Amino acid sequence: MSKQSISILSLHVVATAALTAHRFVAAGGGVPAAGGNALGVTRQAAAIGESALTDVIGTAVVEAGGAIAAGAAVETDATGRAVTQTTGVKLGRALEAAAAAGDFIEVLLIQN
């Protein structure tokens, strides 16, 4: 369970949906569609209309949506958690393994 991250660029995003900490967020401030594009990863939870600090470039701590191998490419599930990439947009690379959903791992963010 990682709590380490190295953010090179963090931006404030105004939430257009309720956001959970350590999950992917879309550029418009909502939760991205499963396999969709994301701006970055939230550092804290935010209610609609609130600002959420979002890691955009660097590494981020992300909640896993299932088991992920270290080194695997990741995409988002429908709730913003990281899952092993299948057919969706590659959002990052897992720098450590997740044994199960709910684990927190460090992910190297990839711009999309």
Side-chain angles (χ1 to χ4, degrees), residues 13-19 25-32 39 50:
V13 174
V14 177
T16 57
L19 299 176
V25 61
V31 178
L39 175 66
E50 292 181 343

Side-chain angles (χ1 to χ4, degrees), residues 18-104:
L19 299 176
T20 303
H22 305 294
R23 293 191 182 184
F24 289 107
V25 61
V31 178
N37 284 318
L39 175 66
V41 176
T42 58
R43 284 188 167 239
Q44 78 261 358
I48 295 173
E50 292 181 343
S51 179
L53 186 60
T54 301
D55 293 334
V56 177
I57 299 174
T59 70
V61 174
V62 185
E63 184 178 350
I68 300 171
V74 298
E75 63 183 33
T76 183
D77 68 7
T79 64
R81 298 179 302 177
V83 293
T84 302
Q85 183 192 22
T86 55
T87 60
V89 177
K90 183 189 306 181
L91 301 178
R93 184 145 322 265
L95 297 179
E96 55 194 346
D103 285 354
F104 290 88

